[in-house]
Amino acid sequence: MNLEQILDRLREDPSFMANVTHWEVVPPRRAKYGPFPKSLHPLLRPALQEKGIENLYVHQSQAVEEALAGRDVVVVTPTASGKTLCYNLPVLSRILREGEARALYLFPTKALAQDQLAELRGLIDTIGADVKVHTYDGDTPPDARKVIRTAGHIVVTNPDMLHTAILPHHTKWVKLFENLRYVVIDELHSYRGVFGSHMANVLRRLRRICRFYGSDPVYICCSATIANPAELAARLIGRPVRLVDENGAPSGEKHFIFYNPPVVNEQLGIRRSSLLEARGIASRLLRNGIQTIVFARTRLSVEVLVTYLKEALAQVGQSSTVRGYRGGYLPRERRDIERALRDGSVRGVVSTSALELGIDIGRLEACVMLGYPGSIASTWQRAGRAGRSTGVSAVFLVASSSPLDQYIITHPEYFFGSSVENGLINPDNLYILMNHLKCAAFELPFEEGEEFGVSTTEEILSYLEEKGLIHRVQGRWYWMADAFPAEEISLRSASAENFVVIDITEKPRVIGEVDRISAPLLLHEEAIYIHESVQYQVETLDYEEKKAYVRRVKVDYYTDASLAVDLQVLEVLQEGARGLSATGYGEVLVRSKPTMFKKIKLYTHENLGSGPIHLPEEQMHTEAYWLSLDESPWRSHVRSQIEAGLLGLANLLANIAPLYLMCDRGDLETVVQVRAPFTGRPTIFLYDRYPGGVGLAEKMFQVDEQVLRCAQDLVGSCSCADGCPSCTGPANEVGPGAKDMARAVLDTLLGGTM
Amino acid sequence: MNLREKLRAIDTVDDREETDSYSLAVRLGASPQKLPGGTLFRRRRSLSPGYRHGGVCLPSLQPAGGLAYLIGRIPGIRPEDVLFLDTETTGLSSGPGTYVFLVGLGYVDGGKFHVDQIFLPGPHAEAAFLTALEEALRPFRILITFNGKCFDWNLLTTRFILNRRLPPEAGCHLDLLYPARRIFGASLSSCSLGELERSVLSFRRQGDVPGELIPHLYFRFLRDGHVEALPAVLDHNLLDILSLAALFGRICDLLTGRDDPSPAQALGVAHYHERRGQLESALRLYLRAAAPTMPDDYRVQALRYASLACKRTGRWREADALWTELCDQRPEDPFAYVERAKYYEHRLREFRQALDVVERALATCQLTPKGRAELQHRRRRLLGRLAHKPSLA
C-alpha cells in the first residue's frame, strides 16, 4: 500500500478514527520560481543544471540577489526548501570572482556544521573550482588548523568556537579577517534567549575585528519559521536586514493527524501508552515501506521505540532498516545513518530533537511525533521532515498523557490558530555584555568614544579599569590582566563536559556520550542504558572522571529514574513589598538529586520494582526572583487549592516574563513552595537557569509590576475554561481551580481588576 | 598672554612626561630612547671577559660545534651571530590581550657577553618598542630561546600583527626546550628553565622575583607608577638570559664531547650523534646509557638503540648478545625476538634456531594481533624452509 491508500484505510477504520481528534489537510503548493540573478558567476548555473537544478525558487532567487548586491538578508525557509543555495551561491560566486575572498559559516552545533561539508563540496566538485572548505571545531586536529587558518576559503564552525578559539586568536586568522566577504548564520531561530544574547555579543566582537582588518562582510541568515525573523536577525547582527519570506518550494498534500490514545481505565482516566500507540502507527507505515521519522522526547523513549520497531519489522526480515538517532551517538555513526536515510536504505529513524534542526536526511514521507514537542515552532519544524515536493505526506501527533499534550490534542484550534513563537534576545543584558566587553578588550584595545553595542560603553570600561582589568592611557583602553576572559564564559547553560559510556563486555570501547544533566538519570549504577536498541547495564559510574562502565545484558525491562529538586535562598540582594506580600531577588542554590529508579517491563510497562540511587546531588548557584504571598485572604483555602493557584500563577509568570526579560521560555524555571522555609509563606520562585545567573532575576524584580499586570490581563481575557498552556497551564497539570485562584491572587496583589 | 598661551603655560603634560621618563630611566638604570610612536627604555649590561654563569664561560661560547648537531652545519657561523632571547609578559595565555613588556637579548661581542633589555613603559608605546626590537634583531643569524617557539616568538608575532606590521623573520630559530628535554629529561622531574638552572648549571638565584608575580608588578607600575619592583624584574630577565646561554654552552659541550655525558644524559646525546650519522660514537653513548645503575626502562631503551646501531654497523655478534640480554630483561617484548629471528634466518640461515626464537616469542610475548600474525607468518615460512632442507635441520 502506498501512503494515500494507508490514509484512506485509516479514515475508514472507526477504531482508529475514534482516537483522532483532528485531521487537517494542508493543500499542495506549486513551485514558484525566480530568475537566476544576473550577477551570479557564469560557472554556477551550468553546475546547478548538472545537479538537476534548472530553476531557482523565488526565495532562493531573491536571497541570492540581495546577498550579491551586498545587502544583509534573512531568509525564512521551511525544512528542506533548499535554503543552503541561498548562501552557497552568493558565497561561491564571490570566491570564483575573487580568489582571496573568505566566508565564515556558523551553525549552532558541530553536527550541523559537518553536514554542510558534503553538500558544499559536491557543488564545488561539479564546478571544478579550487575552493577550500573546512570545518573548524574541537575535533579539528592541531596540524590541520594551521592550514585552515590561512588557506580555507570557507570556514565552517560554531559560535562557541568563534568565541573561544577564533576571535581571541584573530592574529592567526589575518587572511580570513582581511578578506571576509560573507558571514552565514544558519538556524538563526536557535539563537534565542540567553544563548542568542551571547551570540549577538560574539557577533559584535566579530564586527570589531573585521573593522580592524578592514573588512565589512555581508550577513546571510536562514531561519525556520518564527514570528519575528527580521527583528531577531537585526538584533543579532546589530543592523537592519532584508527579509525574504516568500517560500517558492513546492510541497505535496500534507495530512496532519492529531491522535489521542484511547482511555483504558475510565475511572482513573488512564490512556493507553503513547509509546505503544506510536509504535503501532509507525510499524504500520514501515511495514508498507513508507519512509518514516519518529520523534520522541527523550533518549530513553528513542531507544525503547527502536527496539520495538526493529522487532515489528523482524517479521518481514527488515529490522536493520530501522535506526535510532540521538545526541549520544558518535559522529561517524550519525553520518552513516544520515547517509542511509538519504539513499533510502534506512526506512525508519527514531530521533530526539537532534534531527529537528537542518541536518540533511532528505525528505521522508511520514512523521510520527511521540508527544507534543513543546512549542508550535518546533512542531512545524519536525513536521517539515515529512513531505516531498510532490505526493502525499502525513504527520501524526500522538499525545502523551501529560497535561500539555492533552490540552493541545483536544484543542487543535489552539495549535493551528496561534502564530509561532517570537525569538527574543537582549544583547544589552549587562551581565552578558560586560563579559563580552572583556573579551573584546582582550582582542583589541578600545578607542576613545568607541561603542560596543551600548552608549554606556565608556562607563563599563571605567568600571573594568577600577577593577584593575583594563589600563587607560593616551585615550585608549588596553586589556591589562593575566587572564583569558573568553574561557570564563560559556555561551550555553549546559556544560560541555559529557559523560562517556564505555562498554566493557569485551575489549573496552566507547559507545556513546551523555550530557552532564542527563547522566545521573541515565547512567546511575544498575541503570539499563540502551544504545542502538542493545541493552547495557551500568556496572560502575565514575562520577569524578565522568565515565560509565557498562556491560551488555539481555533483560526484559528498562529503568526510569526520578529527580528531586530543591531551592534554597542563600542571600537576599533586594527586597520589596506589594501590599502585605513581599517580593525579592537574590542568590539561591538549586539542588537536584536522583532519588530512585523503577524497573519497567518492556511491552506491558508494569513496574517490576525499584531501587535507590546513590549519587551526589547536582548543585547550581544562580539567582531567583520570588513573590511570597500574604496568606491572610486564603486562610479558608485548603493546601491543594493554594498549591494549584501558585502553580497556575507560576505558569503565567513563566509565560509572560520572557517578553519583558527578552529571554527564552527555557532560560527560566519556576519552583513553588506552599510554605517556603525561607519566607514561611506561599512562595513562587522564578530562577535563572544559568550557573551564576545572568541578571534575569534582577530584571524581573524591577519589572514585576508590569509582568503581574500583564498576567492579570491575560488570565482575565483567556477564553479557556480552567487553564490552558498559554495562561495558568492545563488544569489536570496544575490542579482544578488554578485559574480562578491565580486570578484572585493577582487581584489582591494589584488591587482589583481593571 | 591669550588664553591659549596661558593654557599652554599651565599645561605641563609634556614636561611631566619628560621628568617621568627621566626618573624612570634613573630607577631602571636604563636610558630612554625616543622613536616615532613613543619612548622606550634600554638597559645594557656587559659582562667581564671571564664571566662564568653556572660553570660556563659565556664570553667564550663557541656555538658552531653544538649547532652542527642541533640544527645542522652553518657555514661561516661566528659566536657573534647568535642571539639569546627571552621575554617578560603580562600573562601566560597567548592571544592579543597579552603584552610583551620586556625583551632581553644576549649576545657575544668584542670578547664580552652583553645583555640588552628593551622595556615597554606602557601599551601606548608598543609601536616604538617593536621598531627598536626589529632593529636589535637584525644583525643576528641564529635565534636561541627556551620554549620560544610556542610562547615568546609566537607572542611577539602577534604583537607585530596587531600593530599591522609584518612580523620579522625568525631566520634560524633554535628552541632549547626540546634538546634540553632529550638530554636532561631522564634525570629531572621537570624541564623548566628554573629546574635546569638548579640541577644542570648548579646555579641558585638569590632574592629573585617569582615569575608568576611579574605581570602583577608591571600592572602596578602602570596603575600607580610603582617603579620600585621593576629593577628586580629586569634582573630576573637578565638571569634568564644568562642561564639560557649557559645551558646552551653545556649542551654544546656534551654534544661535542668536550664534556662526558653521564649515563642519564648519554641516551639523548647519542640521539644527536646518530642523527648526524656518527654511528660509532652513538653506539658508545648508548652502551654508556645502558649502565647497570640506570632504571630498567631507560636501560632497555638504550640497549635497543645500541643493538640497532650494532646491526647497522655490521657488528652482528654484539647485536645478538644485546638481543639475548633484552630477551632476558623483557621476555614480554617481541622486539628482540623478532630481530634475532631475522638474524638467524637471513644472515646465519639457522632455520631451526630462528624457529626456536619465534616459538618462544609466540609463547611468552604480549602481542598485538598484527604482531602475532607476522610471527605466525614467519613461523610458517621457517617450517617450510626446514621441510625443504631436512638435512640441515
Side-chain angles (χ1 to χ4, degrees), chain A residues 167-172 174 178 212-213 442-445 465 468 471 473-474 478-484, chain B residues 17 90-99 123-124 154 158 161-164 212 215-216 218-219 222-223:
Chain A
L167 296 178
H169 296 290
H170 61 85
T171 51
K172 301 206 161 44
V174 176
E178 280 182 345
F212 177 74
Y213 290 103
F442 179 91
E443 285 149 12
L444 287 174
E465 187 184 16
H471 177 63
V473 56
Q474 294 190 358
Y478 299 87
W479 178 257
M480 224 12 105
D482 183 5
F484 189 75
Chain B
E17 202 164 72
T90 61
L92 289 181
S93 65
S94 66
T98 304
Y99 292 81
H124 56 286
N154 201 358
T158 298
I161 294 171
L162 272 167
N163 282 269
R164 302 302 277 140
E212 65 273 16
H216 301 278
Y218 186 63
F219 298 150
L222 289 183
R223 222 174 16 247

Side-chain angles (χ1 to χ4, degrees), chain A residues 276-351:
Chain A
L276 295 177
E277 294 293 281
R279 170 185 69 160
I281 296 171
S283 51
R284 186 163 186 168
L285 293 164
L286 288 168
R287 270 202 298 262
N288 282 290
I290 309 292
Q291 207 184 11
T292 302
I293 182 166
V294 183
F295 282 105
R297 282 195 297 220
T298 64
R299 289 154 184 235
L300 183 62
S301 34
V302 165
E303 293 297 350
V304 172
L305 253 180
V306 173
T307 314
Y308 288 177
L309 291 177
K310 274 183 185 293
E311 204 136 306
L313 287 187
Q315 300 154 5
V316 286
Q318 290 181 349
S319 63
S320 63
T321 63
V322 177
R323 303 292 296 269
Y325 188 104
R326 58 177 174 81
Y329 287 13
L330 300 173
R332 189 147 36 93
E333 211 172 347
R334 291 201 294 214
R335 297 295 92 74
D336 276 354
I337 300 170
E338 290 156 18
R339 203 175 311 115
L341 277 165
R342 284 194 296 266
D343 68 28
S345 57
V346 160
R347 306 303 299 167
V349 65
V350 187
S351 171

Side-chain angles (χ1 to χ4, degrees), chain B residues 137-158:
Chain B
L137 293 173
R138 197 159 293 144
F140 300 96
R141 291 173 64 191
I142 308 277
L143 175 69
I144 299 182
T145 62
F146 191 83
N147 195 25
K149 283 205 169 147
C150 280
F151 189 69
D152 308 62
W153 193 255
N154 201 358
L155 212 50
L156 283 171
T157 306
T158 298

Side-chain angles (χ1 to χ4, degrees), chain A residues 331-402:
Chain A
R332 189 147 36 93
E333 211 172 347
R334 291 201 294 214
R335 297 295 92 74
D336 276 354
I337 300 170
E338 290 156 18
R339 203 175 311 115
L341 277 165
R342 284 194 296 266
D343 68 28
S345 57
V346 160
R347 306 303 299 167
V349 65
V350 187
S351 171
T352 55
S353 59
L355 274 179
E356 177 183 319
L357 291 169
I359 291 168
D360 180 19
I361 53 169
R363 301 183 79 174
L364 314 180
E365 280 178 274
C367 166
V368 179
M369 283 179 240
L370 170 55
Y372 177 61
S375 79
I376 295 173
S378 80
T379 307
W380 281 112
Q381 181 95 343
R382 291 180 195 190
R385 282 301 187 186
R388 299 180 169 163
S389 46
T390 56
V392 172
S393 67
V395 179
F396 297 83
L397 174 62
V398 181
S400 78
S401 55
S402 95

Side-chain angles (χ1 to χ4, degrees), chain A residues 437-448:
Chain A
L437 193 68
K438 287 187 200 168
C439 299
F442 179 91
E443 285 149 12
L444 287 174
F446 271 87
E447 304 292 335
E448 196 140 20

